[in-house]
């Protein structure tokens, strides 16, 4: 009304026709603007819901500024926890939905300060630095969303990392106060120090309904496989102490024990091992004679001699990690950081991230009852394998243990892989370092394949003097669409290959290589003529395979076979003229951790030219040696990498009654 009076007092002189034509328009416009300003002011100062779409900022994690929430004594308490929970029974995957990036969205509840009716907090420590770092990392990641309606996973801002600081009942009541709790469905809790005296349960004692638990001390009794996530116990020394990476190799000590709270029976056994093996084993304990002001956590002692910790761990090849009151020990992280191979003696312990990490490559797990045999067991491991384990241990720490950020994001990635399995990370992505930084690698564990230089594959045919059979193999292979080049390895030093005019005419380059010695391993040599990543290695008598079958599957591991085969396996093969195919299967299975893919049905072996004189496999000792070589190779590898496979890969429409022209591989299975 004031505005209307103002314009009526001055309007006639400036805008003579205001009253009759524009007054209603301006009054309406001004009213809309005024209402907008009022609404904006009310929104700014009106109390917001706990589920507001506010960014998770540092200010909102201030305990002092967090809103106070009182828990009535009668507040409900969640169920203890359902041990039968699995992703398909206690997790709503449909909430995650489909998205082009195949990535879950994670919502973090705004911080609140929960107290009981008397005003006593549910935690004696509030928000720890570690949990603050964890939430910060998640909020800065691609998993985070501030829109609660888009969230697939919910993380409370209630810190339950250390059970020692919690009031169990009140913490459980606080969880039920979360707006989206819904019996813990799609909620994730992080806990590193579970249980308490005297029993020290291996999982968080706080009742949590169906919530997932990322726990740092699971046993086989409390771990819900495929649902919970076993995480490491974070070591504060990771942030406080920088250990430079050390090259793998022999160290001053063979075995080192640095834990201070070891059960007296275990310490007695370690002392006995020390007496038997002398300087090879260093047995450290806490220091009792430190000067005032010296941090005891950073020192270890042996007979009055003081050692810096964790630096001393870098001086040993193997480092003992024994269970304490809890199964999970921060010492494991310290040992990995030092590049020392952990020797883990903690029966029933679920190793951190064991759902995706291959701990056989980075540690030695020994039953507690075999502690007395530890020295003998470790001495049986080849030096080359120890070096590879040292490298892998250090890389595990860098990738998955080094910070709360690494631990938190690894946990989310594992859950993400369960929800979007078709886009999950592979075994190699989880376990192989992205870049090989060491020049003296002798094991195939960490070697990348040679990068592709040309499309298609090279066929390498090993031959001696079966010319007719060789030409039939060449003719059949040349029909394969992906063939880029054909390389014939002529293994006969006493006879020259046929003249050029006699060879089959094919549509790809054909090159004959004459070898200096008659060795079976010549078939796996990385010849300069090979310019493709994929290579088909085949004998001159394999005439039963069709071009379709060859097109259907092939791989390249020649470089690794020739230069990085462990031990004396390649020499053994060459000396015995046997088992090169088994050696290659050992190599590939050890690298990939996977079984071979059986392609097409079993075929009868056909070789019209083969006789008892020139056929290696017709020798009576041939099959006996093949059994011996399996034992030999397993001994060199230190394990049996071969996997059992119970399925076969067939192309689409393989046996269906369809016209042949509709099938991609119509000639598979024919004899």
């Amino acid at each position: 009304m004031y505005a209307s009076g103002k314009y009526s007092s001055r309007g006639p002189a400036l805008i003579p026709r205001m009253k009759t034509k524009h007054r209603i328009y301006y009054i309406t416009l001004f009213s809309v603007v005024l209402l907008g300003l009022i609404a904006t002011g009310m929104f700014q100062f009106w109390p917001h819901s706990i589920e507001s779409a506010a960014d998770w900022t540092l200010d909102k994690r201030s305990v002092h500024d967090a809103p106070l929430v009182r828990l009535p004594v009668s507040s409900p308490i969640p169920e203890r926890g359902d041990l039968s929970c699995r992703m398909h029974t206690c997790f709503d995957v449909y909430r995650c939905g489909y998205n082009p990036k195949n990535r879950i969205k994670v919502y973090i509840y705004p911080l609140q300060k929960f107290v009981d009716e008397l005003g006593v907090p549910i935690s004696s420590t509030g928000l720890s630095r570690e949990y603050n770092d964890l939430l910060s990392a998640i909020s800065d990641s691609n998993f985070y969303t501030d829109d609660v309606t888009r969230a697939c996973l919910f993380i409370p801002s209630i810190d339950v990392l250390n059970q020692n600081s919690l009031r169990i009942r009140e913490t459980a009541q606080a969880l039920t106060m979360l707006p989206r709790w819904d019996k813990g469905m799609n909620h994730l809790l992080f806990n590193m120090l579970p249980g308490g005296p005297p029993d020290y349960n291996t999982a968080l004692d706080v009742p949590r309904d169906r919530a997932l638990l990322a726990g740092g001390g699971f046993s086989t009794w409390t771990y819900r496989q495929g649902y919970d996530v076993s995480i490491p116990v974070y070591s504060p020394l990771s942030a406080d102490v920088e250990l430079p990476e050390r090259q793998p190799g022999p160290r001053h000590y063979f075995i080192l024990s640095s834990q201070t709270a070891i059960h007296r029976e275990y310490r007695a056994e370690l002392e006995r091992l020390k007496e038997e093996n002398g300087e090879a084993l260093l047995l450290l304990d806490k220091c009792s004679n430190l000067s005032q002001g010296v941090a005891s956590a950073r020192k270890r002692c042996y007979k009055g001699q003081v050692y810096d910790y964790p630096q001393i761990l870098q001086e040993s090849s193997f480092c003992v990690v024994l269970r304490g009151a809890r199964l999970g020990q921060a010492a494991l992280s310290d040992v990995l950081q030092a590049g020392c191979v952990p020797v883990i003696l903690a029966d029933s312990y679920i190793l951190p991230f064991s759902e995706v990490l291959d701990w056989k490559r980075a540690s030695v797990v020994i039953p507690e009852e075999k502690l007395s045999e530890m020295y003998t067991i470790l001495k049986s491991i080849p030096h080359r394998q120890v070096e590879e384990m040292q490298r892998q241990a250090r890389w595990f720490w860098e990738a998955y243990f080094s910070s709360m950020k690494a631990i938190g994001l690894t946990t989310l990635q594992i859950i993400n892989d369960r929800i979007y399995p078709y886009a999950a990370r592979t075994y190699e992505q989880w376990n192989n370092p992205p870049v090989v930084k060491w020049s003296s690698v002798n094991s195939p564990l960490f070697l990348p394949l040679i990068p592709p230089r040309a499309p298609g594959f090279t066929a390498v045919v090993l031959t001696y003097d079966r010319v007719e059979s060789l030409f039939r193999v060449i003719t059949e292979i040349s029909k394969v669409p992906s063939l880029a080049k054909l390389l014939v390895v002529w293994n006969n030093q006493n006879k020259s290959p046929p003249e050029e005019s006699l060879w089959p005419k094919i549509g790809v380059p054909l090159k004959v290589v004459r070898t200096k010695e008659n060795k079976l391993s010549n078939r796996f040599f990385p010849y300069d003529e090979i310019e493709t990543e994929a290579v088909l290695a085949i004998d001159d008598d394999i005439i039963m395979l069709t071009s379709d079958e060859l097109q259907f599957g092939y791989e390249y591991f020649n470089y690794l076979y020739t230069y990085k085969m462990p031990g004396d396996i390649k020499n053994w093969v060459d000396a015995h003229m046997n088992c090169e195919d088994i050696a290659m299967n050992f190599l590939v299975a050890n690298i990939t951790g996977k079984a071979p893919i059986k392609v097409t049905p079993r075929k009868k072996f056909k070789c019209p030219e083969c006789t008892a004189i020139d056929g290696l496999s017709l020798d009576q000792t041939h099959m006996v040696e093949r059994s011996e070589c399996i034992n030999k190779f397993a001994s060199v590898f230190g394990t049996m990498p071969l996997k059992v496979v119970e399925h076969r890969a067939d192309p689409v429409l393989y046996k269906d009654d369809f016209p042949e022209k509709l099938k991609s591989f119509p000639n598979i299975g024919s004899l």
Side-chain angles (χ1 to χ4, degrees):
M1 298 299 295
Y2 171 77
S4 177
K6 180 178 179 180
Y7 278 105
S8 64
S9 63
R10 299 182 60 184
L14 300 177
I15 310 176
R17 304 183 64 182
M18 172 73 75
K19 292 183 179 180
T20 60
K21 189 173 182 179
H22 299 292
R23 182 173 57 185
I24 297 176
Y25 169 76
Y26 279 101
I27 291 175
T28 303
L29 177 62
F30 183 77
S31 299
V32 171
V33 173
L34 183 61
L35 288 173
L37 292 173
I38 294 173
T40 302
M42 292 178 66
F43 181 78
Q44 291 290 332
F45 297 101
W46 197 264
H48 285 234
S49 165
I50 190 173
E51 295 186 54
S52 63
D55 288 335
W56 181 261
T57 62
L58 183 62
D59 292 339
K60 290 192 176 294
R61 290 196 299 274
S62 171
V63 178
H64 302 290
D65 299 334
L68 193 69
V69 178
R70 292 189 180 273
L71 300 171
V73 176
S74 59
S75 296
I77 298 177
E79 295 293 329
R80 180 71 180 86
D82 189 351
L83 286 176
S84 66
C85 270
R86 297 297 184 267
M87 293 298 288
H88 64 280
T89 60
C90 296
F91 192 94
D92 183 8
V93 295
Y94 296 104
R95 182 186 291 274
C96 304
Y98 168 79
N99 64 77
K101 295 183 178 179
N102 298 313
R103 185 182 299 125
I104 60 174
K105 288 300 181 182
V106 181
Y107 177 80
I108 302 175
Y109 285 99
L111 185 65
Q112 293 176 295
K113 185 176 181 180
F114 291 93
V115 298
D116 62 17
E117 289 188 335
L118 299 178
V120 180
I122 64 172
S123 171
S124 60
T125 58
L127 191 70
S128 64
R129 183 187 71 176
E130 289 78 12
Y131 198 57
N132 183 73
D133 292 345
L134 176 73
L135 297 182
S136 296
I138 295 174
S139 66
D140 292 335
S141 74
N142 292 329
F143 292 109
Y144 178 70
T145 179
D146 59 7
D147 185 352
V148 70
T149 63
R150 296 180 58 210
C152 164
L153 190 65
F154 303 88
I155 298 180
S157 56
I158 301 171
D159 185 354
V160 295
L161 282 179
N162 185 352
Q163 184 176 312
N164 291 340
S165 65
L166 302 177
R167 299 170 65 191
I168 302 299
R169 176 186 174 88
E170 289 75 11
T171 302
Q173 290 176 321
L175 291 175
T176 63
M177 297 286 288
L178 299 175
R180 300 268 174 163
W181 179 248
D182 189 23
K183 293 188 177 296
M185 186 80 74
N186 290 46
H187 280 67
L188 174 64
L189 304 177
F190 285 88
N191 169 253
M192 291 183 174
L193 298 178
D199 297 330
Y200 286 99
N201 190 11
T202 57
L204 181 67
D205 285 325
V206 175
R208 54 189 182 277
D209 280 330
R210 298 177 177 179
L212 291 89
L213 182 61
F218 281 120
S219 73
T220 53
W221 296 99
T222 56
Y223 177 65
R224 297 172 293 183
Q225 188 172 8
Y227 193 67
D228 294 324
V229 180
S230 181
I231 64 175
V233 179
Y234 177 70
S235 173
L237 296 179
S238 297
D240 299 338
V241 179
E242 182 176 351
L243 293 182
E245 185 173 356
R246 183 165 176 175
Q247 287 295 322
R251 307 286 168 83
H252 183 72
Y253 303 103
F254 184 62
I255 303 175
L256 186 147
S257 173
S258 62
Q259 292 169 275
T260 59
I262 298 178
H263 192 279
R264 60 179 179 274
E265 292 182 4
Y266 294 146
R267 184 164 292 279
E269 189 61 51
L270 289 172
E271 290 175 348
R272 188 188 65 79
L273 287 172
K274 169 69 175 173
E275 292 176 1
E276 293 177 355
N277 302 287
E279 297 299 320
L281 193 152
L282 179 61
L283 181 57
L284 301 177
D285 202 350
K286 61 183 178 182
C287 300
S288 57
N289 58 345
L290 293 177
S291 303
Q292 188 174 2
V294 177
S296 60
R298 298 283 303 277
K299 301 294 180 181
R300 296 291 188 272
C301 288
Y302 175 70
K303 291 186 176 180
Q305 185 172 354
V306 180
Y307 298 86
D308 292 329
Y309 182 88
Q311 290 86 344
I312 185 59
L313 298 175
Q314 291 191 307
E315 301 300 323
S316 183
S317 297
F318 295 96
C319 293
V320 179
V321 180
L322 271 162
R323 67 176 301 160
R326 294 182 172 93
L327 281 176
Q329 297 290 311
L332 176 60
S333 181
D334 296 337
V335 168
L336 294 174
Q337 182 183 11
C340 184
V341 180
V343 183
I344 302 169
L345 297 102
D347 293 352
S348 78
Y349 177 41
I350 303 296
L351 288 169
F353 304 132
S354 55
E355 182 175 339
V356 294
L357 300 188
D358 187 351
W359 279 97
K360 297 189 300 294
R361 296 174 59 171
S363 69
V364 180
V365 179
I366 299 177
E368 294 174 27
E369 64 178 13
K370 293 187 177 294
L371 175 58
S372 60
E373 305 172 31
M374 176 176 63
Y375 188 86
T376 303
I377 293 173
L378 299 181
K379 271 296 183 182
S380 68
I381 302 176
H383 295 300
R384 187 179 298 111
Q385 186 176 347
V386 174
E387 292 179 5
E388 299 300 339
M389 296 171 80
Q390 289 172 335
R391 294 188 182 99
Q392 191 76 347
R394 172 72 183 199
W395 183 72
F396 271 9
W397 178 82
E398 291 176 350
Y400 308 116
F401 285 68
S402 58
S403 64
M404 292 301 296
K405 175 181 179 180
I407 295 171
L409 298 188
T410 301
T411 301
L412 295 183
Q413 186 62 52
I414 290 174
I415 297 173
N416 194 91
D417 286 0
R418 296 173 184 170
I419 296 172
Y420 301 107
Y422 49 85
R425 299 181 69 184
T426 64
Y427 170 92
E428 292 77 15
Q429 289 172 318
W430 280 111
N431 290 279
N432 291 355
V435 178
V436 178
K437 296 183 289 183
W438 308 281
S439 58
S440 59
V441 180
N442 292 310
S443 168
L445 287 176
F446 298 88
L447 285 168
L449 301 181
I450 294 176
R453 292 168 289 175
F457 71 92
T458 301
V460 178
V461 185
L462 182 70
T463 188
Y464 192 74
D465 62 0
R466 291 193 288 252
V467 176
E468 182 181 348
S469 175
L470 169 65
F471 286 178
R472 289 181 61 185
V473 170
I474 292 175
T475 301
E476 188 64 32
I477 294 177
S478 66
K479 301 175 184 177
V480 182
S482 295
L483 180 68
K485 181 182 289 187
L486 202 152
L487 192 66
V488 175
V489 179
W490 190 264
N491 230 13
N492 190 338
Q493 289 76 42
N494 301 317
K495 182 179 179 180
S496 299
E499 296 180 5
E500 182 178 352
S501 60
L502 300 177
W503 289 80
K505 301 299 185 290
I506 61 176
V508 297
L510 190 155
K511 176 69 180 287
V512 179
V513 176
R514 302 190 65 176
T515 61
K516 296 180 180 179
E517 295 181 78
N518 181 19
K519 293 182 178 181
L520 288 178
S521 296
N522 289 337
R523 73 185 330 168
F524 295 132
F525 188 84
Y527 297 98
D528 292 338
E529 289 79 6
I530 298 176
E531 297 177 339
T532 60
E533 178 182 8
V535 175
L536 169 67
I538 191 170
D539 284 336
D540 60 2
D541 55 2
I542 307 300
I543 60 176
M544 74 291 297
L545 293 178
T546 68
S547 58
D548 279 350
E549 290 166 343
L550 295 173
Q551 175 70 13
F552 192 46
Y554 47 81
E555 280 294 341
Y556 177 41
F557 288 94
N558 291 16
Y559 180 84
L560 303 183
Y561 182 98
T562 300
Y563 290 114
K564 305 302 177 181
M565 179 67 77
D568 62 343
I569 289 179
K570 193 160 73 71
N571 293 334
W572 192 96
V573 168
D574 293 335
H576 291 75
M577 296 294 286
N578 202 347
C579 299
E580 80 284 3
D581 54 336
I582 297 177
M584 177 60 82
N585 274 277
F586 263 74
L587 178 71
V588 176
N590 191 53
I591 295 171
T592 65
K594 298 176 181 178
I597 298 177
K598 172 118 176 35
V599 180
T600 78
R602 182 172 59 183
K603 294 289 193 69
K604 283 186 177 181
F605 179 78
K606 288 185 177 182
C607 181
E609 296 183 63
C610 297
T611 67
I613 298 176
D614 60 7
L616 288 175
S617 60
L618 299 178
D619 191 329
Q620 292 183 354
T621 63
H622 188 77
M623 296 308 297
V624 176
E625 280 190 341
R626 290 177 73 80
S627 297
E628 293 177 356
C629 72
I630 290 178
N631 296 330
K632 163 73 176 177
F633 298 167
S635 174
V636 173
F637 274 86
T639 184
M640 170 52 76
L642 298 183
K643 307 290 184 181
V644 176
V645 60
E646 297 181 356
H647 66 276
R648 188 179 81 205
D650 289 330
V652 177
L653 304 180
Y654 164 55
K655 282 193 173 182
D656 292 296
D657 189 15
F658 278 86
E660 296 297 309
K661 63 181 181 180
L662 297 180
K663 299 182 179 182
S664 298
F665 304 97
N667 200 23
I668 281 185
S670 61
L671 294 176

